[in-house]
Amino acid sequence: MNYELKIMLSTKTIEDIKKAIANYPRKKSASMDALTIAQKECGHLTQDVLLEIASLLEMPPVQLNQVAAFYTMYNKKPVGKHHVQVCTNVSCSLLGSEHIVEFLSKKLGVKKGETTSDKKFTLSEVECLGSCGTAPMMQINDDYYENLTEVKIEEILKGLK
Amino acid sequence: MFEPVLLKNINTPDSHRIDVYLKNGGYQALPNALKMQTDTLIQLVKDSGLRGRGGAGFSTGLKWSFITKDPTIPKYLCCNADEGEPGTFKDRAIIEKDPHELIEGMIIACYAIGAQAAYIYIRGEFDFGARRLEQAIYEAEQKGYLGKNILNSNFNCDIYVHKGAGAYICGEETALIESIEGKRGQPRIKPPFPAQVGLFGKPTVINNVETLSCIPHIVNKGPKWFASIGPEKSPGPKIFGVSGHVKKPGLYELPMGTPLREVIFTHAGGIRDGKKFKAAIPGGVSAPMLTEKDLDTPMDFDSMAAKGTMLGSAGVIVMDDTTCIVKVAMRTMGFFRHESCGKCTPCREGTDWTYKVLHRIEHGEGKEGDVKLLENLCGNIFGRTFCPLGDGAVMALRGALKNFRDEFLYHVKNKKCMV
Ligand SMILES: Cc1cc2nc3c(=O)[nH]c(=O)nc-3n(C[C@H](O)[C@H](O)[C@H](O)COP(=O)(O)O)c2cc1C
Ligand code: SF4
Ligand code: FES
């Protein structure tokens, strides 16, 4: 296959990926770690990033693409700086998660699945996040926000720069 | 009052740190276990009656005994920390608040089955939990509980954390293995079972977080103590996660076999806002729902199965009398449709089709015969899928249809909800 390998990842990211490779008897088993680590740096996984990871793991790029495509947490498209993900599964739904989505949608001025024009926020609906006892809840990037109310959401959004 | 076992330390400040764990009696089971013959240790776990807390309730000691004793064959332990079944939030508490309880259990399990490496498969969203586990593994290595020649026993063991990335199906054990190998998380055909051909083609045991966390306590207090808690065939302490329309949602560690009524009304405070009880899903959304008449059923594997449902993950979702069951069924099927891995047609197409029918019923566009259509679709999915995800979806829907058929019919006829 002909493609040009560009260096997209920082030395630190490459080091971290190499550390992850040491956790497995086979290099390509670190593919998920590598995608997670790279996404932390890049925000979303472009074809160039995927090619670079595939070469680090010595695996065919198509195989890595399939892995990246299978899992929802790997962003194949750009997302905002703050990825607001509201759980709307049963427990959260019983306690008003639809209302939370509507409220956020109004506050941020976007529909679910969209990113604000200043690229600061993306609003998504997600499946159960394992926090049903503190429903309704959402995750923004890596952090959980639980027992949500409108007042609480206003405060959370104010705190995000 | 039942004295919590698994969750006893979670409110202690810094309970996740090794010095706090040690002060509370942690890592006392490990040296004792390492002195035992592995057969004796496995027999001990069998005698305790411990059954897997991941959902299926298979005997843990028996599962361990399937692993070959041949020392030349590498073996693996996988800890299932995927916690993906909607309504379930118990493993997260152990992971974040008492990670050493799990790690001690894992080291003992590795010793018992002769594995020198273990992976914790944690769902990707639990970033905080993953970091807690990595920190705890580091602390355990520093103290000599992990790594080479653990406590001068000649036993070596390493634990690695593997983060998932948002696929429910990776909680299924063979999909979990595929995912640790760095592939798409699609289930493998069984047999061969993971005990023969598992991770990296080697004999593998997969156990849930809560299951493994029971192990140090069984070693410390003995199998008789464990077996004496709750029903004879399904004993031990059990973490119930209660969510939905209750006054006090949260985790309650109680003896296995505590009646559903007691879990909801005594511990979780009953129904909130002066409403009435309508239904409860006893073990995560795959478990068929129960109604008023079933409230006195003991929450253990066999009693739940006898009621046509399952204990599953013991994530209890409670619904009051304002709940539209059609909507709950639609949301549940939406979940399965989203999470179907796409490998087999009955599940991939079936969950999509049932979702669409439920969607139109819920939105006042149901057609005459739609309820029959749903029942037929269930029949065409059940038992015809590659892995239990498809069956779980059907069981959930059948539970709703069986208990609330009138509500579905009303929706179709009147184009609106009866509640
Ligand atoms: C679709 C599906 C999802 C599952 N999700 C989980 C899960 O999130 N956590 C878990 O421990 N077990 C889950 N299981 C059960 C596992 O396949 C397996 O039975 C369990 O981890 C075995 O551990 P145990 O014997 O300690 O219960 C799931 C099973 C299926 C079919
Ligand atoms: S039943 Fe569903 S989840 Fe399981 S293998 Fe088939 S398509 Fe995949
Ligand atoms: S249903 Fe929302 S966190 Fe589980």
Side-chain angles (χ1 to χ4, degrees), chain B residues 112-170:
Chain B
I113 61 166
Q116 301 199 353
Y119 290 88
I120 304 175
Y121 188 94
I122 184 165
R123 59 179 299 170
E125 294 89 344
F126 286 176
D127 184 68
F128 180 70
R131 280 184 279 133
R132 278 265 154 107
L133 287 170
E134 271 161 2
Q135 175 67 24
I137 290 168
Y138 175 77
E139 288 177 339
E141 281 166 357
Q142 295 301 305
K143 296 265 186 203
Y145 299 125
L146 275 173
K148 296 253 173 309
N149 190 20
I150 296 168
L151 305 174
N152 290 319
S153 65
N154 271 326
F155 174 62
N156 309 329
C157 184
D158 288 302
I159 299 181
Y160 307 101
V161 175
H162 183 101
K163 285 178 80 176
Y168 165 70
I169 189 59
C170 291

Side-chain angles (χ1 to χ4, degrees), chain A residues 79-83 115 119-122 140-141 160-161:
Chain A
V79 289
K81 185 177 169 201
H82 306 290
H83 191 184
T115 302
K119 309 240 177 334
K120 264 177 72 179
F121 294 97
T122 300
I140 304 182
N141 298 346
L160 296 174
K161 286 278 137 32

Side-chain angles (χ1 to χ4, degrees), chain B residues 45-282:
Chain B
V45 175
K46 269 191 199 162
D47 292 344
S48 75
L50 172 63
R51 292 170 66 176
R53 298 334 194 199
F58 193 81
S59 159
T60 306
L62 197 57
K63 195 185 263 189
W64 293 6
S65 73
F66 295 151
I67 300 293
T68 172
K69 306 274 180 252
D70 185 342
T72 65
I73 300 175
K75 304 155 192 93
Y76 291 101
L77 172 73
C78 297
C79 169
N80 193 339
D82 198 45
E83 190 135 272
E85 181 67 33
T88 316
F89 51 100
K90 64 188 179 70
D91 297 338
R92 180 172 159 228
I94 297 176
I95 291 164
E96 291 184 0
K97 303 283 180 52
D98 209 349
H100 285 288
E101 179 176 59
L102 169 62
I103 286 167
E104 187 176 9
M106 287 183 68
I107 307 168
I108 298 171
C110 281
Y111 172 71
I113 61 166
Q116 301 199 353
Y119 290 88
I120 304 175
Y121 188 94
I122 184 165
R123 59 179 299 170
E125 294 89 344
F126 286 176
D127 184 68
F128 180 70
R131 280 184 279 133
R132 278 265 154 107
L133 287 170
E134 271 161 2
Q135 175 67 24
I137 290 168
Y138 175 77
E139 288 177 339
E141 281 166 357
Q142 295 301 305
K143 296 265 186 203
Y145 299 125
L146 275 173
K148 296 253 173 309
N149 190 20
I150 296 168
L151 305 174
N152 290 319
S153 65
N154 271 326
F155 174 62
N156 309 329
C157 184
D158 288 302
I159 299 181
Y160 307 101
V161 175
H162 183 101
K163 285 178 80 176
Y168 165 70
I169 189 59
C170 291
E172 193 281 330
E173 53 189 19
T174 60
L176 180 142
I177 289 173
E178 288 283 299
S179 189
I180 296 180
E181 291 185 358
K183 304 180 201 149
R184 290 183 296 175
Q186 289 187 315
R188 291 180 183 172
I189 195 119
K190 292 192 269 193
F193 290 93
Q196 279 88 44
V197 184
L199 185 60
F200 306 117
K202 306 294 182 219
T204 302
V205 162
I206 299 106
N207 275 137
N208 170 259
V209 170
E210 188 185 349
T211 311
L212 290 163
S213 301
C214 290
I215 301 298
H217 303 285
I218 294 173
V219 172
N220 282 331
K221 297 184 191 150
K224 282 216 181 75
W225 158 80
F226 193 90
S228 73
I229 301 167
E232 196 186 330
K233 294 212 158 58
S234 186
K238 179 75 196 85
I239 306 173
F240 297 94
V242 192
S243 64
H245 295 137
V246 287
K247 288 195 186 122
K248 295 189 293 170
L251 296 175
Y252 298 95
E253 186 181 352
L254 303 165
M256 191 71 100
T258 303
L260 180 58
R261 185 189 298 281
E262 202 181 311
V263 173
I264 297 174
F265 290 90
T266 311
H267 299 283
I271 308 301
R272 61 169 71 181
D273 304 330
K275 302 273 176 16
K276 274 169 59 191
F277 174 84
K278 180 170 184 173
I281 297 169

Side-chain angles (χ1 to χ4, degrees), chain A residues 22-33 36 40 59 63-74 85-98 125-135 137 139 141-144 146-147, chain B residues 76 83-89 92 119 121 123-128 131 160-167 169-170 179-186 200-201 242-245 249-250 272 281 285 317-319 323 327-328 331-332 334-335 338-339 341:
Chain A
N23 291 351
Y24 305 92
R26 300 175 188 163
K27 263 194 172 174
K28 70 175 183 188
S29 297
S31 61
M32 295 183 70
D33 302 78
T36 304
K40 276 231 158 85
M59 73 191 275
Q63 252 184 37
L64 186 70
N65 283 356
Q66 283 182 348
V67 176
F70 185 81
Y71 298 95
T72 52
M73 280 176 71
Y74 301 134
Q85 303 167 80
V86 186
C87 169
T88 58
N89 211 301
V90 177
S91 303
C92 284
S93 160
L94 291 173
L95 296 178
S97 59
E98 273 142 71
E125 254 183 41
V126 294
E127 297 298 352
C128 175
L129 288 167
S131 194
C132 331
T134 43
M137 63 79 63
Q139 180 171 32
N141 298 346
D142 286 336
D143 301 317
Y144 277 32
E146 299 163 296
N147 296 310
Chain B
Y76 291 101
E83 190 135 272
E85 181 67 33
T88 316
F89 51 100
R92 180 172 159 228
Y119 290 88
Y121 188 94
R123 59 179 299 170
E125 294 89 344
F126 286 176
D127 184 68
F128 180 70
R131 280 184 279 133
Y160 307 101
V161 175
H162 183 101
K163 285 178 80 176
I169 189 59
C170 291
S179 189
I180 296 180
E181 291 185 358
K183 304 180 201 149
R184 290 183 296 175
Q186 289 187 315
F200 306 117
V242 192
S243 64
H245 295 137
R272 61 169 71 181
I281 297 169
V285 296
I317 306 171
V318 181
M319 294 167 267
T323 311
K327 190 171 159 197
V328 170
R331 187 61 194 82
T332 305
F335 166 76
H338 184 255
E339 298 300 337
C341 82

